[in-house]
């Protein structure tokens, strides 16, 4: 049944949804999250990339956080959330991508990392980060983190 569905989708010009993994890099002490600039447009994003052979999805997200932002820390294996977005291709078209997002508790930021000359990075409150990113699904994930941080900081009743 699935094979017929894929064939029909391809005939109708629908591309299958691809998957990427991303890391929301979080500083538990301040409640802030780290955003980086994309290499092509300079807009604010989270570190993200394609799944990697030989790594779990959360392990690949942690690797992307290191390569793109110089972040070292503890990645949580449970998904923080998912969202769909359209990824622009060099050829001028976009493909649908399901982003699986994992929380990474930051222990250390290194200044020397693979993409250090290609990106900027900056800390934001989750609410401010949500205002700066484009993808509505990522906005929701960041705002849910703001709510979780607020609940932890609230005094007991």
């Amino acid at each position: 049944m699935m094979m017929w569905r894929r064939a029909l989708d391809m005939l109708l010009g629908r591309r299958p949804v691809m998957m990427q993994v991303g890391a929301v890099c979080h500083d538990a002490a301040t409640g802030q999250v780290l955003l980086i600039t994309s290499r092509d447009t300079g807009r604010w994003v989270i570190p993200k990339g394609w799944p990697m052979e030989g790594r779990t999805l959360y392990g690949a997200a942690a690797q992307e956080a290191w390569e793109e932002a110089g972040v070292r820390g503890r990645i949580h294996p449970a998904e923080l959330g998912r969202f769909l977005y359209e990824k622009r291709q060099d050829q001028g078209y976009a493909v649908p991508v399901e982003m699986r997002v994992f929380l990474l508790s930051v222990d250390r930021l290194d200044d020397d990392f693979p993409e250090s000359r290609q990106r900027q990075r900056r800390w934001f409150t989750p609410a401010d980060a949500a205002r700066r990113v484009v993808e509505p699904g990522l906005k929701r994930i960041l705002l849910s983190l703001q709510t979780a941080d607020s609940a932890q900081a609230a005094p007991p009743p």
Side-chain angles (χ1 to χ4, degrees):
M1 177 70 173
M2 184 61 109
M3 190 170 75
W4 289 105
R5 171 71 185 225
R6 273 190 137 162
L8 179 60
D9 283 347
M10 295 299 273
L11 284 172
L12 295 174
R14 290 184 281 216
R15 294 188 170 278
V17 174
M18 300 169 82
M19 179 182 41
Q20 284 193 312
V21 294
V24 170
C25 302
H26 181 254
D27 181 346
T30 65
Q32 293 186 318
V33 295
L34 186 72
L35 295 182
I36 60 172
T37 54
S38 67
R39 289 188 297 184
D40 53 353
T41 63
R43 64 187 175 85
W44 291 107
V45 297
I46 61 172
K48 63 185 181 307
W50 303 107
M52 299 173 186
E53 189 173 333
R55 291 188 189 264
T56 60
L57 295 178
Y58 60 90
Q63 181 65 30
E64 292 295 339
W66 157 246
E67 291 176 8
E68 296 183 359
V71 171
R72 298 287 192 188
R74 184 174 53 90
I75 190 86
H76 300 259
E79 285 182 20
L80 188 57
R82 294 180 184 188
F83 65 93
L84 291 173
Y85 81 104
E86 295 286 318
K87 181 166 181 58
R88 297 235 175 263
Q89 301 296 297
D90 293 339
Q91 298 84 357
Y93 61 89
V95 295
V97 174
E98 178 185 61
M99 176 67 65
R100 296 185 184 196
V101 180
F102 298 89
L103 184 67
L104 192 152
S105 298
V106 177
D107 292 332
R108 184 175 97 219
L109 274 183
D110 291 338
D111 290 329
D112 185 22
F113 56 96
E115 297 183 16
S116 62
R117 290 190 168 97
Q118 301 168 22
R119 299 180 186 273
Q120 295 176 32
R121 59 186 183 187
R122 192 162 136 205
W123 291 100
F124 298 96
T125 65
D128 196 20
R131 284 190 288 275
R132 293 175 186 268
V133 299
V134 173
E135 298 85 0
L138 182 54
K139 288 177 186 288
R140 282 191 298 278
I141 290 170
L142 291 167
L143 288 172
S144 74
L145 191 58
Q146 176 80 29
T147 304
D149 283 346
S150 297
Q152 288 177 352

